[in-house]
Amino acid sequence: MIAPYLLIPGEHGGEKISLDRGHAWKIGRNKDNAVVILDKLVSRYHAILQHTDDGEYHLMDMGSRNGSFVNGSRVSFPISLKDGDTISLGEYQLTFHRPEGAAQAAPPNAAKSGSDTKLLASSRKTSVLVVDVRDFTKLAQQIDPSLLSNLISTWFREGGQVMLEQGSWAQKYIGDALMAVWVHRHPDKEALEIWGILKACVELVNLTATLQTRFELPVSIRVGMGINTGHAIVGNTGSARFNDYTALGDTVNAAFRFESATKDIGMDMIIGQDTCRLCRRLSQHGDAQQYFVERTVDLKGYDRPSAVWATTFAKLKEFVQAPSCGRSGV
């Protein structure tokens, strides 16, 4: 019996990647992916092909810059694959083949292997916060590496605790950036959860302000922030032995781009349209615009300018503490 497989185009009929062992295969430019595609338009970790317990195969985009496509349609949520489907990543077109009668059920021993990817993902309404240390490269050039390591590990540890106390579902640390994810399970509680996120942001700014004195640094530490609310794929993309809970998708990508765009417009924080709508629900008199101003920014990797809302940390603190911010009535 022929197992399902991916056909990667190339000389001599291309390369076949068998899909008869394991639960998931990461696809991307990085060499540790199960399927490596050396294309500059393909992200380091671009997509995941998942074999679920019901025997189906699904493709999920991992928040790639240029997107994943099945039969010409962009993948926003996990897409069930059928024999002959074309998967487009960058300039490559892979073909999924599932011969009749092949591998109708997930391999019985796959979940027992510590090296298999344990992908438990679903589409959920989320808010994603990205916090990045400004001028980190300059700071790294001015202080001892051991001091730098102690500084960043302290900031990650204490900052992560702040996020956890406000209900963050997961945190990831990427270089000198922190990403925190909140999953919104109840629509009537979303606005109050946004207030908790903004409160966590204020606490993190206050924490960051103490670092110069605590570590006797030559300069103060500054950060920029981006928050975006929308649907994302959330779950464990680690292994059976090592969990790695994260969020993937355009909502996450935009949050990173928002933080980066704060530098272009001279503001401390940018939030997306859906996040701003929830902020308006927090404000009894609808006066959130006193604290957030609408801007149009060009986001890297996006074809058209994006309308966002921006603020300074001073204004953010005012909003969180404002009497008109009717938290008890949300």
Side-chain angles (χ1 to χ4, degrees):
M1 181 183 297
I2 301 176
Y5 63 92
L6 276 181
L7 179 62
I8 302 177
E11 297 181 356
H12 310 296
E15 179 185 4
K16 292 182 179 180
I17 304 295
S18 179
L19 305 175
D20 62 339
R21 295 179 180 273
H23 269 195
W25 297 262
K26 292 183 180 181
I27 307 172
R29 204 174 66 244
N30 221 50
K31 63 182 181 181
D32 61 352
N33 287 287
V35 182
V36 179
I37 300 178
L38 300 179
D39 181 345
K40 64 182 180 180
L41 297 178
V42 172
S43 297
R44 290 184 301 118
Y45 299 100
H46 197 106
I48 286 182
L49 181 62
Q50 180 186 10
H51 190 190
T52 56
D53 290 338
D54 60 4
E56 294 298 316
Y57 286 82
H58 296 82
L59 185 77
M60 181 179 75
D61 187 80
M62 294 182 69
S64 65
R65 176 182 297 182
N66 295 309
S68 304
F69 299 81
V70 173
N71 299 329
S73 297
R74 186 160 188 159
V75 175
S76 299
F77 305 102
I79 297 295
S80 179
L81 298 175
K82 62 183 184 298
D83 183 49
D85 280 347
T86 298
I87 301 170
S88 300
L89 309 174
E91 295 183 347
Y92 274 71
Q93 286 195 338
L94 290 63
T95 307
F96 173 78
H97 287 284
R98 185 175 188 174
E100 186 176 352
Q104 293 301 317
N109 297 322
K112 297 180 181 179
S113 171
S115 62
D116 287 330
T117 299
K118 182 183 178 184
L119 180 60
L120 305 172
S122 61
S123 175
R124 306 293 289 272
K125 180 74 171 292
T126 64
S127 285
V128 180
L129 165 67
V130 175
V131 188
D132 186 66
V133 177
R134 298 281 178 83
D135 300 323
F136 181 77
T137 301
K138 291 182 180 179
L139 176 65
Q141 295 171 347
Q142 296 181 54
I143 64 177
D144 184 85
S146 61
L147 176 60
L148 181 67
S149 176
N150 190 16
L151 167 68
I152 291 299
S153 62
T154 299
W155 185 70
F156 280 158
R157 183 180 65 256
E158 296 183 6
Q161 185 60 39
V162 168
M163 303 302 142
L164 285 173
E165 290 173 355
Q166 292 300 332
S168 173
W169 171 79
Q171 298 88 38
K172 288 184 73 70
Y173 308 101
I174 308 164
D176 57 334
L178 181 155
M179 181 183 83
V181 180
W182 282 260
V183 176
H184 300 297
R185 295 178 174 85
H186 305 288
D188 58 336
K189 295 182 179 180
E190 290 176 1
L192 186 58
E193 289 167 344
I194 288 295
W195 178 81
I197 297 172
L198 297 179
K199 182 174 182 292
C201 291
V202 171
E203 293 178 8
L204 185 57
V205 171
N206 293 338
L207 164 66
T208 304
T210 69
L211 296 177
Q212 181 177 13
T213 300
R214 291 168 61 185
F215 288 90
E216 299 181 350
L217 301 175
V219 294
S220 61
I221 305 297
R222 300 181 303 113
V223 296
M225 298 184 180
I227 302 177
N228 197 29
T229 301
H231 280 83
I233 303 300
V234 297
N236 176 23
T237 59
S239 67
R241 189 172 300 171
F242 300 103
N243 291 329
D244 183 16
Y245 292 97
T246 191
L248 306 166
D250 188 63
T251 296
V252 180
N253 287 351
F256 277 91
R257 301 295 187 262
F258 289 171
E259 186 285 318
S260 180
T262 59
K263 305 167 191 174
D264 299 329
I265 63 174
M267 302 292 272
D268 295 321
M269 171 185 281
I270 286 178
I271 64 175
Q273 295 281 9
D274 287 343
T275 309
C276 188
R277 291 189 190 100
L278 292 172
C279 287
R280 291 195 188 100
R281 284 173 52 186
L282 281 169
S283 183
Q284 291 179 345
H285 305 296
D287 57 355
Q289 62 269 26
Q290 293 185 26
Y291 307 95
F292 297 90
V293 294
E294 188 171 15
R295 294 291 184 87
T296 300
V297 295
D298 292 315
L299 302 180
K300 185 177 180 180
Y302 288 74
D303 295 334
R304 60 187 65 180
S306 300
V308 297
W309 293 79
T311 190
T312 64
F313 290 144
K315 285 290 185 181
L316 176 66
K317 184 176 180 179
E318 289 180 16
F319 177 71
V320 170
Q321 297 178 343
S324 63
C325 193
R327 297 178 292 279
S328 62
V330 174

